[in-house]
Amino acid sequence: MTPVPGTAEPTVVLVHGAFAESASWNGVIRRLHAAGIPAIAAANPIRSLSGDAAFVSAILASLEGPIVLVGHSYGGAVISNAALDNDQVKALVFVAAFAPEEGESIGELSGRYPGSTLGDTLTTVALPDGTTDLYIRQDKYHQQFAADVAPEQAALDAVTQRPLNDTALNEGSGRPAWTSIPSWFVIPELDYNIPPQAQRFMAERAGSRETVEVPGASHAVPVSHPDTIAEIILKAVKHVQ
């Protein structure tokens, strides 16, 4: 990882979630760069919450200056853990994301409120270590994950999706950083992975500085509404400056 040393601006670190990959942030990154804000899209392993958080923490440790840490979907759980006790992280942005309390898993949170249809779309791959990887079936991906994304793009995203390991699905969170770091939330109206009601609950519990709801948006809101996501990230950046 190449650090971003000596920058006058905070560095935005973007963490994708399950069933996506780093390029899902491309539209957002273009807008951040246009605003003069440096950014790094971390390649989230999605193997275990504690391991993924340690991976992102190592990236954060390679950087100089203040950091705005952004998580999409499962990436929200990762940033909640990765930023703990890191004085460089000045703001957290949760985009259609989990913000678990200590001991909570994303599997538990996704089922706490009605509305998720994710389970019916999954296919599994058993791994040699005894764990299981979960993928969204390619023929279900567009409607389930990215209904407001162009079909051609959704078809590509279905092929390049990163699977969710069942360890990451079920592992309880450590003590979360959102209890001490200011947070912002974006909630898509038509999120079929994480029910909007669950996202509102987590945003309120975290004391969100601003919560933006995006009408008609799917779970893939960084792809379908990059302007909206960049705008709220820039608000968090402005808070840090």
Side-chain angles (χ1 to χ4, degrees):
M1 173 59 60
T2 302
V4 182
T7 176
E9 302 288 355
T11 300
V12 174
V13 178
L14 304 137
V15 181
H16 68 83
F19 318 118
E21 42 87 44
S22 293
S24 61
W25 294 112
N26 281 355
V28 175
I29 292 167
R30 289 190 196 100
R31 288 153 177 82
L32 295 177
H33 283 175
I37 303 300
I40 293 171
N44 186 3
I46 325 181
R47 302 292 85 195
S48 69
L49 180 53
S50 55
D52 299 338
F55 174 85
V56 172
S57 291
I59 294 175
L60 303 180
S62 77
L63 302 175
E64 296 179 9
I67 296 167
V68 173
L69 191 53
V70 185
H72 173 235
S73 190
Y74 165 70
V78 174
I79 70 170
S80 294
N81 285 262
L84 186 67
D85 297 328
N86 186 327
D87 293 338
Q88 288 177 264
V89 180
K90 304 299 185 182
L92 302 171
V93 181
F94 293 86
V95 179
F98 292 104
E101 180 59 276
E102 186 170 8
E104 292 177 341
S105 70
I106 66 164
E108 173 193 353
L109 282 168
S110 63
R112 185 173 296 183
Y113 295 93
S116 176
T117 56
L118 178 62
D120 295 335
T121 71
L122 295 176
T123 186
T124 61
V125 175
L127 301 181
D129 64 1
T131 66
T132 299
D133 270 353
L134 308 173
Y135 293 82
I136 298 177
R137 286 174 44 189
Q138 290 188 25
D139 62 329
K140 300 288 187 181
Y141 189 95
H142 188 198
Q143 181 59 36
Q144 174 61 39
F145 194 90
D148 60 343
V149 173
E152 297 82 2
Q153 181 63 51
L156 292 173
D157 294 343
V159 173
T160 59
Q161 65 177 290
R162 297 283 299 276
L164 172 66
N165 189 270
D166 62 349
T167 301
L169 176 68
N170 296 311
E171 183 179 355
S173 175
R175 184 165 55 92
W178 51 255
T179 59
S180 57
I181 300 174
S183 60
W184 286 254
F185 281 73
V186 179
I187 301 174
E189 179 191 18
L190 302 180
D191 192 330
Y192 301 134
N193 277 31
I194 309 173
Q197 187 178 358
Q199 295 180 50
R200 294 184 193 106
F201 161 73
M202 290 183 281
E204 183 176 354
R205 180 173 66 177
S208 174
R209 296 293 181 94
E210 182 177 355
T211 300
V212 175
E213 301 210 13
V214 186
S218 73
H219 189 64
V221 65
V223 178
S224 60
H225 291 79
D227 286 321
T228 300
I229 306 308
E231 181 179 353
I232 198 164
I233 293 172
L234 290 172
K235 288 183 178 180
V237 168
K238 186 175 181 179
H239 170 82
V240 172
Q241 290 171 323

